[in-house]
Amino acid sequence: MTGELIGLTAQDLIEGYRKGEFSPVDATRAVLARIEETEPALNAFVRVDAAGALARAEESARRWREGEPAGLVDGVPVSVKDILLQRGAPTLRGSLTVPEQGGWDEDSPSVARLREHGAVLVGKTTTPEFGWKGVTDSPLSGATRNPYDTSRTAGGSSGGSAAAVAVGAGPLSLGTDGGGSVRIPASFCGIFGLKPTYGRVPLYPASAFGTLSHVGPLARTAADAALLMDVISGPDPRDWSASGPQAGGFQDALHGGVRGLRVAYSPTLGGQVAVRPDVAAVVRAAVTRLAELGAYVEEVDPDFTDPVEAFHTLWFSGAARVVQHLPASRRQLLDPGLQEICTRGARYSALDYLAAVDARMALGRRMGAFHSTYDLLVTPTVPITAFEAGAEVPRGSGLRRWTGWTPFTYPFNLTQQPAASVPVGLDGDGLPVGLQLVAARHRDDLVLRTAHAFYESGTASHASPNTAGIA
């Protein structure tokens, strides 16, 4: 049964528990076995709490036997990116500069909501140092690898979470996204990832990257992501900027299809992005299917210039703030790339920062006007597929920073819009390709509904990677 259980969605597991076909203990044992089988080849986890997970699963099994589940995900194995606090487990954020000793007696809001709903927390997943880049490697834990080809990156910065979900090491994982960090690894690993509207999921401690950073789910389906959103969007007084749960719930928003939706398809953001031909072909075929399902699709661009300099000003300044407290001797322990951007970030003035905020607000106004005409914007998630593990940029690309190869993602952190990556096929090398869905702020329902329509039509699916070389 182990092989069958790791292939089930969170919703499948809940239904099985309800019917008594298997128990949370069965599911948790299957996930722990899968983790043991795929680690360390993937290196998706920094810490696995097998004993604690089994104890939580036993408690959940008792609740199900008594017909009193604690909440929406009672007994579902879930992993947590090692950026978010989890009571009883060190949160080292991929850094040698964070001391492991300490109380670790507090949950981040999303983790607290998971605990309240009875989730089985199985472990913490890998992140680059402080989540600073779009791939997952760090001085603390090394490189996380792609389940489809372990010579390649899983993407980042939620790469451990994406790799874990892709191989069946739990159907759900919590990630964070400050410039694409949920959507990039979702695309590279062939799963679903959602960056909700900013504030929809409370965040504490506040990110040094400010209001660029979102908490979001990684899952095998849009329906599972909606389930997790209904859990983690619960309020928390520690986040003054949180906006609260969506009216009616996220799962309620899944149904209705796409007929009549006005969709703008921008394959290259007006010629600004060089998309690899096989990626472009896979995305275009999925967009054609969207039209066949009844959406009004028009090839049109949102007409904005690449806001990378504004993003860099905000991002690099945030990174400098993260390490500001470290003495020079400790800074030598940081990822060399992180050291570089922190040095640059420390040179920005307050006027530089405010100019970036002005650029951000202008982009937000532009996208607000755009969505008065179009319900959704569709693009590739990333213009390439996964490249070699342990590198910030593809070899021979001539790029300097990770933002150079992911220009479709970070603009929508600047605007705080909901955006998701949907797996829509494979390239010529058998690597996953993601399609990005973007809607106006607070229209997470449209993103989830459209993604769900892709899954229902068979256009999107999680094709299990060939893990023969992983185990």
Side-chain angles (χ1 to χ4, degrees), residues 45-107:
F45 286 86
V46 292
R47 179 168 280 96
V48 177
D49 181 15
L54 287 170
R56 286 185 282 272
E58 292 279 5
E59 294 170 0
S60 174
R62 175 186 54 77
R63 291 191 293 269
W64 279 105
R65 286 194 301 269
E66 295 171 353
E68 296 180 350
L72 295 177
V73 290
D74 199 347
V76 176
V78 183
S79 57
V80 175
K81 182 180 180 181
D82 199 38
I83 289 289
L84 299 168
L85 296 178
Q86 180 180 325
R87 190 173 72 241
T91 300
L92 304 183
R93 301 175 176 88
S95 182
L96 295 170
T97 68
V98 178
E100 187 167 347
Q101 67 273 17
W104 305 114
D105 56 0
E106 194 170 20
D107 285 327

Side-chain angles (χ1 to χ4, degrees), residues 345-385:
R347 296 188 183 124
Y348 290 123
S349 69
L351 290 177
D352 293 329
Y353 192 93
L354 290 173
V357 171
D358 286 343
R360 180 182 192 179
M361 290 190 292
L363 179 60
R365 287 193 300 273
R366 171 65 197 139
M367 290 308 301
F370 184 79
H371 285 292
S372 68
T373 302
Y374 298 100
D375 297 305
L376 290 164
L377 171 66
V378 176
T379 74
T381 305
V382 188
I384 58 176
T385 51

Side-chain angles (χ1 to χ4, degrees), residues 176-184 195-196 198 209-215 307 311 314-315 360 363 402 406 408-419 436 438 441:
T176 62
D177 188 316
S181 291
V182 162
R183 291 159 288 156
I184 294 165
K195 178 187 75 69
Y198 178 80
F209 299 109
T211 57
L212 295 172
S213 294
H214 307 225
V215 177
F311 180 80
L314 300 173
W315 193 253
R360 180 182 192 179
L363 179 60
W402 62 273
T406 184
F408 290 113
T409 57
Y410 56 77
F412 307 109
N413 292 82
L414 289 167
T415 61
Q416 302 185 340
Q417 295 171 246
Q436 181 174 231
V438 185
R441 290 177 76 245

Side-chain angles (χ1 to χ4, degrees), residues 176-382:
T176 62
D177 188 316
S181 291
V182 162
R183 291 159 288 156
I184 294 165
S187 181
F188 280 6
C189 293
I191 64 168
F192 181 79
L194 171 68
K195 178 187 75 69
T197 298
Y198 178 80
R200 191 63 74 191
V201 179
L203 177 60
Y204 170 86
S207 172
F209 299 109
T211 57
L212 295 172
S213 294
H214 307 225
V215 177
L218 293 115
R220 295 197 197 98
T221 66
D224 264 11
L227 169 66
L228 186 50
M229 283 296 297
D230 276 335
V231 172
I232 63 176
S233 61
D236 192 290
R238 294 172 293 176
D239 184 354
W240 63 269
S241 64
S243 58
Q246 177 171 295
F250 293 92
Q251 293 180 87
D252 294 338
L254 290 171
H255 307 292
V258 298
R259 185 166 300 279
L261 290 183
R262 302 161 300 170
V263 176
Y265 168 44
S266 180
T268 62
L269 290 181
Q272 296 183 85
V273 184
V275 180
R276 223 174 63 188
D278 49 354
V279 171
V282 170
V283 172
R284 185 172 290 275
V287 172
T288 298
R289 182 61 177 143
L290 195 59
E292 292 170 352
L293 293 172
Y296 297 111
V297 178
E298 181 181 352
E299 189 166 322
V300 64
D301 300 305
D303 191 27
F304 61 75
T305 56
D306 186 355
V308 67
E309 290 307 319
F311 180 80
H312 280 171
T313 299
L314 300 173
W315 193 253
F316 296 173
S317 298
R321 176 64 174 163
V322 168
V323 305
Q324 186 180 34
H325 68 287
L326 294 175
S329 59
R330 298 289 290 171
R331 292 193 188 200
Q332 298 307 309
L333 299 174
L334 296 171
D335 180 331
L338 177 58
Q339 292 184 49
E340 289 178 16
I341 72 162
C342 289
T343 298
R344 181 172 167 185
R347 296 188 183 124
Y348 290 123
S349 69
L351 290 177
D352 293 329
Y353 192 93
L354 290 173
V357 171
D358 286 343
R360 180 182 192 179
M361 290 190 292
L363 179 60
R365 287 193 300 273
R366 171 65 197 139
M367 290 308 301
F370 184 79
H371 285 292
S372 68
T373 302
Y374 298 100
D375 297 305
L376 290 164
L377 171 66
V378 176
T379 74
T381 305
V382 188

